[in-house]
Amino acid sequence: MKYRAMAVGTDGVRVMMESALTARDRVGVQDFVLLENHTSEVAFIENLRKRFKENLIYTYIGSVLVSVNPYKELEIYTKQHMERYRGVNFYEVSPHIYAVSDNAYRAMRTERRDQCIMIAGESGAGKTEASKKVLQYYAVTCPASDHVQTVKDRLLQSNPVLEAFGNAKTLRNDNSSRFGKYMDIQFDFKGAPIGGQILNYLLEKSRVVHQSHGERNFHIFYQLIEGGEEDLLRRLGLERNTQQYQYLVKGNCPKVSSINDRSDWKVVRKALSVIGFSDDDVEELLNIIASVLHLGNVQFGAEDGGNAWIAAETQIKYMSRLIGVDVAVLREALTHKKIIAKGEELMSPLNQEQAAAARDALSKAVYGRTFTWLVNKINDSLAFKDDSRLTSKNASVIGLLDIYGFEVFQNNSFEQFCINYCNEKLQQLFIELTLKSEQEEYESEGITWEPVQYFNNKIICDLVEEKFKGIISILDEECLRPGDATDITFLEKLEETLGGHAHFVTHKLADGKTRKVMGREDFRLLHYAGEVNYNVNGFLDKNNDLLFRNLKEVMCMSENKILVQCFDREELTDKKRPETTATQFKNSLAKLMEILMSKEPSYVRCIKPNDAKQSGRFDEVLIRHQVKYLGLMENLRVRRAGFAYRRRYEVFLQRYKSLCPETWPSWNGRLVDGVSTLVKHLGYKPEEYKLGRSKIFIRFPKTLFATEDALEVRKHSIATKLQAGWRGYSQKTKYRKLRNSAIAIQAWWRGILARRRAQRRRQAADTIRKFVKGFIYRHQPRCPENEYFLDYVRYSFLMKLHRSLPKSVLDKSWPTPPPALAEASELLRKMCMQNMVWKYCKSISPEWKHQMEQKMVASEIFKDKKDNYPQSVPKLFVGTRLNGEDINPKVLQTLGNEKMKYAVPVTKYDRKGYKARTRQLLLTGSSAIIVEEAKMKQRIDYNALKGISVSSLSDGIFVLHVPCEDNKQKGDVVLQSDHVIETLTKLAICADKINSININQGSITFTGGPGKEGIIDFIAGSDLIINKAKNGHLSVTAPRLNSR
């Protein structure tokens, strides 16, 4: 009767339960159900305060976990803590997120029903961190294999990636989720995670183009700029300065003390690799992120007619290169919109304001669709591939809901409206699953109890989502109707339709006192969590979320593989108007509610202790507000008034029937009689349980856990008896067969082993004897005594040589030969080297040889001297930059038989005013000729060419120096070429002036005529600018591409 004593001995159970707790866990009560005054909100908050001051951030309300954000690291998430909660009954240890995780996991395993952990709370309350702890717990405690470990790693590493692309710093939270996330984790019949799927909801795309003061854009932008490698930033055209980008400066908050963008960048790059992103995927993804920043820097000017034009081409060129779109096409798409009228396509120019709006719409669309692609890509990596093992019978799911909390800002817009609508739906679900369903179940089972009054927020949900009369329906109708629909007409329509609703107020409908705190463009909703004013400005645009057709067409032309998937060409032919943002969100929420309703829920309610994000600070007013809108007091009253555990008779009897001799191994009577017999045998007191129509209700958790403990003990005894009987029989039978077989096999095998050992010994002795003799006679001429040893030495050397032959001409390694093979080794080495040299020479074509000779000359002249030389190395030199049709026939006629070796278009700068003039530079066997259309403006004989000067920067300016006493020459020639490395290399070879090219830093002095000198000043900058300076010099500003 040990179990019976345990069931009725309340003090003994409490001692057992508290034995695992530390003394600090007794500060306050760890389950609000145990509060003496459970109806007092003051007592509730005081208990929270006591535990919070002692860093006890978790408290239960029955099975609901209340978590208070400590705003600091606590040493309660180690592997030792995970093991402490693993497989332990819910109330046997102190409250913890691990206990909820383990309880849901064990319920999934034992009851074979899908579970869901719903994490709720306002922004900054710690929902995202709570979801991370749940994932970490499953990653550490669940069974593992190579495949399972991969899934665990990917589940964990999906968090930093999604946070980088979907989280941002807000006024309330430095790592606020700006999208909703629901994650399903799939488990096999062994309880090991084998896959997962993520659903995302309503990414706050408007944050890409605008942030309120004190807030930041999405983390990934700052991580890329602060943590990206220099080569990566240079390739993306980015500078390591967030202040250079318009999309990152509007919140005026580039740095956050709690965020290390540089280290977070490394974490994200590693996570992308673990999840399975290829290098190409990462490159394409970062190209898109960089292109959004460049797009934000595109500025528009206005022509005289009001049409927009792009003020600077640099940013749009970078963007076109990054996403693989023609510059001209992109430029036109940003400054025009395509109109289809009567089957004809017309391009209508945009004004400056419309162009800026189109730019921002494109930025939001590109980022939003890329985020959706990212989530789908992660889902692909998490998807369980072997469907043959995954069936409805052996697979289970635990859902994890981490979605934005209730938000109330100074200025609330469309995003806050959707977020708070989502929280209303979740609160409605919470009411249905925990309060309403609780009362209804008790009534249906015929159990009397004190009913709890609660606020049913269905009236608010209907106000938002009801067909034809709800706010979303009115908003969609206003977006779709013909005529001039504006945000103000939408507000007027709301006033007309919802004017008498108790939870809806506008400035026009409000009383005098309310009007003082409401704007004329605001409407107020009385949410379950309190009153919120929404400004209607931008509601229609954000709900439509339209993107001009020609911008979609440009994105469809992109060579970026991700954008091609994000912008489907079918969109261009689909004439059906897409659903509005609000309708899409409403439909996705309805599906989410269906998912959550199909699972057994567990609840985590997160509370933010203060708005300042300070550890140790407890703001009672703020916490009272959260306790109210989370419905915690109502939940406590239900738990205290009712029963902690209830199960159907058949389930209860099936699970615990082995604890009673009368019900084991089967009960043949009525189920209610069987359960009654069982609980009487277990010693339940009348106040500890009630029998309903189809279920048993147990009031105290301790009663249930005492029963569970007894079941665990009973399982072992039953299993032991079964195992003992079966093992005895099977082992005896197996032993007899094995013994007879072993005797026969042993005799036969021992003989074989003995013969093999004797043969090996003889062979070993002969081999050793030959080696000993051979070693003794190794220095004598070849004879029977040493021939085996010498052959082995030669064979060993040749095999070693075969394995370690040099791989290239530059490899001079060669094994050391034995003395007898020294001469042969040297001959083989020479033959090997000759063969490699012959193969290498044979593989070089005449064209490639000529190309390499030119590249060698270029390297000798410019390597480590000219800034843009590294960019020219991978580019092949061409024979000429001008074809025959590009050169005027009169010039060709003037050249006569003189063969033209190279021609390139150049820009010549006058010696006096430095005016740029388009010219052609022709190189022949004896001279360099400067041509203007049909005229040969100047011929410079190579013998008369004194030298060539060029700067060390990335510009294409160079000077040809000629003797000033030569009457044929007017002075030195200042030219510019887009292919300066190639041009000067060709000129140096033709003129044999390789050593006459001077690479200058700072400035170049040239002769402008008899007794006249000119100076060219070179300055490093961000863009190439050539103009005449105030001091009369030619000023050249060129970007520095490589640091030397």
Side-chain angles (χ1 to χ4, degrees):
M1 303 304 292
K2 284 184 179 179
Y3 169 70
R4 184 167 303 203
M6 186 185 299
V8 299
T10 305
D11 293 335
V13 173
R14 183 172 297 153
V15 170
M16 177 194 71
M17 289 170 61
E18 292 189 351
S19 63
L21 307 179
T22 63
R24 297 177 68 193
D25 286 331
R26 299 189 186 94
V27 178
V29 295
Q30 60 187 24
D31 191 336
F32 285 108
V33 175
L34 303 177
L35 274 178
E36 190 70 26
N37 188 3
H38 68 278
T39 60
S40 169
E41 188 178 86
V42 175
F44 187 99
I45 295 176
E46 182 58 28
N47 189 64
L48 271 182
R49 183 202 302 274
K50 286 181 181 179
R51 296 179 64 77
F52 180 73
K53 293 298 182 185
E54 295 295 329
N55 290 329
L56 302 174
I57 64 172
Y58 295 119
T59 312
Y60 289 136
I61 305 176
S63 59
V64 176
L65 179 69
V66 179
S67 169
V68 184
N69 192 341
Y71 287 122
K72 62 181 179 181
E73 294 292 334
L74 297 178
E75 296 296 325
I76 59 173
Y77 302 107
T78 62
K79 190 173 182 180
Q80 289 75 17
H81 278 82
M82 295 182 187
E83 292 298 330
R84 177 184 174 190
Y85 287 89
R86 184 178 182 182
V88 179
N89 281 331
F90 197 64
Y91 292 97
E92 288 190 9
V93 287
S94 55
H96 203 290
I97 188 72
Y98 292 160
V100 176
S101 306
D102 186 73
N103 195 55
Y105 178 74
R106 286 189 293 114
M108 177 199 70
R109 293 289 313 280
T110 57
E111 299 178 14
R112 285 294 166 195
R113 182 171 178 187
D114 292 347
Q115 303 290 314
C116 176
I117 300 176
M118 298 169 59
I119 305 173
E122 71 173 60
S123 179
K127 302 185 299 300
T128 300
E129 287 301 316
S131 65
K132 288 184 190 175
K133 300 306 180 189
V134 174
L135 286 176
Q136 289 170 1
Y137 180 79
Y138 291 146
V140 172
T141 60
C142 292
S145 64
D146 290 342
H147 170 73
V148 169
Q149 190 59 46
T150 301
V151 173
K152 288 180 179 180
D153 292 341
R154 289 179 174 177
L155 283 170
L156 288 176
Q157 294 302 324
S158 66
N159 264 321
V161 174
L162 291 176
E163 285 185 14
F165 287 85
N167 287 24
K169 192 265 182 195
T170 65
L171 293 174
R172 298 189 172 190
N173 186 0
D174 290 347
N175 188 31
S176 177
S177 298
R178 306 319 298 161
F179 71 104
K181 179 179 70 174
Y182 174 78
M183 174 184 287
D184 266 339
I185 311 169
Q186 294 175 315
F187 296 85
D188 63 10
F189 70 97
K190 299 177 183 177
I194 53 174
Q197 184 181 24
I198 298 170
L199 302 177
N200 65 297
Y201 301 93
L202 193 69
L203 177 72
E204 188 186 16
K205 295 185 292 185
S206 62
R207 183 168 293 272
V208 175
V209 301
H210 176 76
Q211 309 90 44
S212 300
H213 184 77
E215 298 192 352
R216 299 208 311 175
N217 210 320
F218 294 103
H219 293 324
I220 187 61
F221 294 111
Y222 305 92
Q223 292 171 1
L224 173 59
I225 290 176
E226 294 294 335
E229 300 79 7
E230 291 294 340
D231 290 344
L232 174 62
L233 294 182
R234 188 182 301 113
R235 183 180 63 76
L236 298 176
L238 299 178
E239 298 181 34
R240 202 180 293 283
N241 182 4
T242 56
Q243 298 300 306
Q244 296 293 323
Y245 302 98
Q246 294 299 313
Y247 282 166
L248 305 184
V249 299
K250 296 183 179 180
N252 196 23
C253 185
K255 299 284 186 181
V256 182
S257 59
S258 62
I259 298 176
N260 188 332
D261 293 312
R262 191 182 298 271
S263 63
D264 289 346
W265 167 255
K266 295 179 182 177
V267 172
V268 171
R269 286 302 299 265
K270 180 182 177 183
L272 288 171
S273 176
V274 171
I275 293 173
F277 281 69
S278 66
D279 291 341
D280 290 341
D281 290 336
V282 175
E283 181 179 354
E284 300 279 20
L285 186 60
L286 295 181
N287 283 351
I288 294 175
I289 299 303
S291 68
V292 171
L293 291 178
H294 287 304
L295 184 56
N297 279 5
V298 173
Q299 300 299 317
F300 299 96
E303 298 175 349
D304 294 338
N307 297 339
W309 61 280
I310 296 176
E313 293 285 321
T314 304
Q315 302 297 335
I316 198 169
K317 286 181 179 178
Y318 273 125
M319 182 183 178
S320 66
R321 177 174 62 81
L322 290 172
I323 65 175
V325 173
D326 184 76
V327 178
V329 175
L330 183 59
R331 184 190 302 111
E332 183 182 30
L334 288 172
T335 55
H336 294 74
K337 69 176 179 179
K338 181 176 289 187
I339 300 174
I340 301 178
K342 297 181 179 180
E344 295 185 6
E345 293 185 353
L346 304 174
M347 297 301 291
S348 173
L350 303 176
N351 60 35
Q352 191 172 358
E353 182 179 352
Q354 291 171 334
R359 173 201 63 200
D360 291 345
L362 179 60
S363 299
K364 292 187 290 184
V366 167
Y367 192 87
R369 297 190 187 201
T370 301
F371 184 80
T372 302
W373 174 89
L374 181 71
V375 173
N376 293 334
K377 180 73 174 177
I378 293 174
N379 284 337
D380 289 341
S381 72
L382 294 177
F384 182 62
K385 304 301 190 295
D386 186 6
D387 292 334
S388 61
R389 288 170 46 206
L390 190 63
T391 66
S392 59
K393 293 183 179 179
N394 61 16
S396 301
V397 167
I398 293 181
L400 190 59
L401 179 64
D402 169 19
I403 205 160
Y404 14 59
F406 197 86
E407 289 190 348
V408 185
F409 296 136
Q410 190 71 28
N411 182 30
N412 301 290
S413 186
F414 179 77
E415 291 81 9
Q416 282 68 47
F417 172 75
C418 291
I419 288 171
N420 294 341
Y421 163 52
C422 172
N423 278 269
E424 287 286 357
K425 293 292 290 183
L426 291 175
Q427 178 68 5
Q428 185 183 31
L429 182 71
F430 181 63
I431 289 171
E432 290 180 4
L433 295 181
T434 61
L435 302 180
K436 190 175 179 180
S437 62
E438 189 94 357
Q439 293 184 20
E440 290 176 351
E441 183 179 17
Y442 279 53
E443 292 171 1
S444 66
E445 287 292 324
I447 295 178
T448 59
W449 71 309
E450 180 184 348
V452 177
Q453 298 298 321
Y454 60 88
F455 170 64
N456 190 341
N457 70 331
K458 183 178 185 299
I459 186 173
I460 304 175
C461 295
D462 290 343
L463 172 64
V464 175
E465 66 184 7
E466 189 175 4
K467 281 187 177 182
F468 309 118
K469 294 189 293 184
I471 294 176
I472 291 178
S473 294
I474 296 171
L475 178 60
D476 286 353
E477 180 182 343
E478 199 66 12
C479 288
L480 299 177
R481 75 172 177 84
D484 295 330
T486 65
D487 296 318
I488 299 301
T489 61
F490 163 60
L491 182 61
E492 293 171 351
K493 190 69 176 291
L494 286 180
E495 292 172 340
E496 177 186 339
T497 309
L498 306 174
H501 200 286
H503 293 267
F504 175 83
V505 180
T506 66
H507 185 276
K508 179 180 177 181
L509 302 173
D511 55 31
K513 183 179 179 180
T514 305
R515 287 184 179 182
K516 294 179 180 179
V517 293
M518 285 189 69
R520 294 185 180 275
E521 298 175 344
D522 292 354
F523 68 89
R524 174 181 291 179
L525 294 184
L526 277 65
H527 289 282
Y528 75 94
E531 299 174 346
V532 183
N533 292 345
Y534 299 99
N535 189 294
V536 296
N537 284 330
F539 261 60
L540 265 63
D541 287 341
K542 293 175 181 178
N543 190 44
N544 275 322
D545 196 21
L546 293 178
L547 186 65
F548 289 146
R549 179 185 180 86
N550 50 330
L551 286 174
K552 289 183 181 179
E553 291 176 349
V554 171
M555 292 301 103
C556 291
M557 299 176 189
S558 172
E559 296 178 1
N560 186 293
K561 296 177 182 177
I562 296 176
L563 286 181
V564 171
Q565 298 177 50
C566 293
F567 290 86
D568 193 346
R569 289 189 176 274
E570 292 183 2
E571 287 186 49
L572 304 178
T573 58
D574 188 2
K575 296 182 180 179
K576 182 181 178 182
R577 186 181 180 94
E579 287 185 335
T580 62
T581 302
T583 299
Q584 290 179 30
F585 186 59
K586 183 179 76 171
N587 294 338
S588 62
L589 265 186
K591 293 178 182 177
L592 176 62
M593 295 302 117
E594 291 179 8
I595 292 172
L596 298 178
M597 290 288 286
S598 68
K599 293 177 170 55
E600 190 77 24
S602 299
Y603 298 100
V604 179
R605 291 292 181 250
C606 298
I607 292 178
K608 180 169 66 173
N610 60 78
D611 277 328
K613 295 173 278 194
Q614 294 179 0
S615 61
R617 180 177 167 187
F618 191 90
D619 187 339
E620 186 172 330
V621 175
L622 178 64
I623 289 175
R624 180 177 289 108
H625 174 69
Q626 295 175 80
V627 168
K628 177 184 177 183
Y629 80 66
L630 287 172
L632 299 183
M633 292 304 298
E634 288 86 349
N635 185 255
L636 173 58
R637 286 198 291 271
V638 171
R639 294 290 180 180
R640 185 63 179 259
F643 296 82
Y645 176 86
R646 76 290 314 265
R647 281 292 182 273
R648 298 189 66 83
Y649 288 144
E650 57 267 30
V651 175
F652 186 82
L653 191 60
Q654 178 66 27
R655 183 165 183 79
Y656 300 114
K657 64 182 181 180
S658 61
L659 297 178
C660 176
E662 298 177 47
T663 56
W664 176 257
S666 62
W667 175 262
N668 298 321
R670 292 194 312 158
L671 291 175
V672 64
D673 296 335
V675 172
S676 179
T677 302
L678 175 59
V679 297
K680 286 178 181 177
H681 177 79
L682 294 175
Y684 282 15
K685 293 181 179 180
E687 65 269 17
E688 291 181 331
Y689 75 97
K690 291 286 183 184
L691 297 178
R693 295 188 177 95
S694 62
K695 295 181 181 179
I696 178 174
F697 290 75
I698 299 175
R699 185 178 299 278
F700 304 116
K702 60 188 180 184
T703 306
L704 173 67
F705 291 131
T707 308
E708 279 289 327
D709 292 339
L711 177 62
E712 288 300 316
V713 175
R714 179 62 174 160
K715 280 180 181 177
H716 290 299
S717 63
I718 294 175
T720 301
K721 289 181 180 178
L722 292 174
Q723 289 172 348
W726 170 251
R727 285 174 181 166
Y729 170 77
S730 62
Q731 292 301 322
K732 285 178 184 177
T733 305
K734 188 184 294 183
Y735 171 74
R736 293 191 186 98
K737 291 181 179 180
L738 290 176
R739 187 173 182 276
N740 295 332
S741 302
I743 293 173
I745 293 172
Q746 286 172 352
W748 172 76
W749 182 244
R750 286 187 186 122
I752 291 179
L753 290 180
R755 286 189 289 273
R756 287 181 179 176
R757 282 196 296 270
Q759 184 178 4
R760 282 200 298 270
R761 288 194 188 100
R762 284 194 297 271
Q763 292 174 348
D766 292 341
T767 302
I768 293 171
R769 194 176 295 113
K770 290 179 182 179
F771 262 81
V772 171
K773 282 187 178 181
F775 185 78
I776 295 172
Y777 292 98
R778 66 187 182 280
H779 296 302
Q780 296 184 14
R782 186 179 182 87
C783 59
E785 286 76 11
N786 65 8
E787 63 180 0
Y788 183 83
F789 180 80
L790 294 179
D791 288 345
Y792 181 79
V793 169
R794 290 188 179 95
Y795 174 78
S796 298
F797 170 72
L798 292 174
M799 291 305 296
K800 181 180 180 182
L801 179 61
H802 173 70
R803 290 190 297 269
S804 57
L805 279 173
K807 299 295 187 296
S808 70
V809 179
L810 300 178
D811 187 359
K812 302 300 181 183
S813 61
W814 192 265
T816 304
L821 292 178
E823 183 179 356
S825 173
E826 182 62 23
L827 290 173
L828 288 172
R829 188 186 67 78
K830 291 180 179 178
M831 291 171 62
C832 179
M833 187 58 65
Q834 289 173 355
N835 184 52
M836 286 192 295
V837 170
W838 177 79
K839 282 184 177 180
Y840 182 77
C841 293
K842 187 177 179 181
S843 65
I844 299 176
S845 65
E847 295 80 5
W848 185 246
K849 180 178 179 183
H850 180 62
Q851 186 71 225
M852 290 178 66
E853 288 172 349
Q854 294 182 80
K855 287 290 183 179
M856 285 297 295
V857 172
S859 174
E860 180 181 349
I861 297 172
F862 298 107
K863 185 178 181 183
D864 298 329
K865 299 174 185 178
K866 181 71 173 167
D867 204 14
N868 56 349
Y869 169 71
Q871 280 69 34
S872 72
V873 171
K875 299 176 182 176
L876 296 179
F877 289 169
V878 299
T880 181
R881 292 287 174 178
L882 294 174
N883 298 322
E885 57 268 17
D886 296 329
I887 302 173
N888 195 286
K890 292 182 179 180
V891 175
L892 297 175
Q893 185 178 1
T894 304
L895 289 176
N897 295 329
E898 194 171 0
K899 186 178 179 181
M900 183 177 64
K901 295 187 174 183
Y902 179 74
V904 64
V906 296
T907 301
K908 178 181 178 293
Y909 291 89
D910 291 347
R911 301 175 184 85
K912 294 180 180 180
Y914 300 119
K915 184 174 181 181
R917 301 181 187 277
T918 302
R919 298 287 189 268
Q920 295 176 342
L921 176 63
L922 311 181
L923 301 182
T924 67
S926 60
S927 60
I929 303 169
I930 299 171
V931 175
E932 176 191 5
E933 295 181 353
K935 298 179 182 179
M936 296 176 61
K937 298 294 289 185
Q938 191 171 354
R939 178 189 288 268
I940 303 173
D941 292 330
Y942 295 147
N943 294 331
L945 185 62
K946 292 169 57 179
I948 305 168
S949 295
V950 66
S951 78
S952 61
L953 299 180
S954 62
D955 60 280
I957 299 290
F958 61 95
V959 179
L960 303 180
H961 297 286
V962 297
C964 59
E965 58 271 15
D966 189 349
N967 295 329
K968 297 180 180 180
Q969 309 297 339
K970 300 175 183 179
D972 296 342
V973 184
V974 181
L975 300 175
Q976 179 192 6
S977 172
D978 292 337
H979 311 280
V980 66
I981 302 297
E982 177 183 287
T983 302
L984 293 183
T985 301
K986 299 276 189 179
L987 180 57
I989 294 173
C990 292
D992 194 16
K993 299 286 185 178
I994 295 174
N995 297 323
S996 298
I997 296 179
N998 302 312
I999 300 176
N1000 299 274
Q1001 294 185 357
S1003 63
I1004 295 175
T1005 303
F1006 65 91
T1007 302
K1012 298 179 182 179
E1013 284 192 348
I1015 298 176
I1016 307 175
D1017 295 326
F1018 295 88
I1019 306 168
S1022 59
D1023 294 313
L1024 179 61
I1025 301 173
I1026 303 174
N1027 56 20
K1028 183 177 180 181
K1030 292 181 179 179
N1031 58 5
H1033 298 177
L1034 179 60
S1035 174
V1036 179
T1037 303
R1040 183 172 290 283
L1041 303 180
N1042 302 280
S1043 56
R1044 298 191 302 276

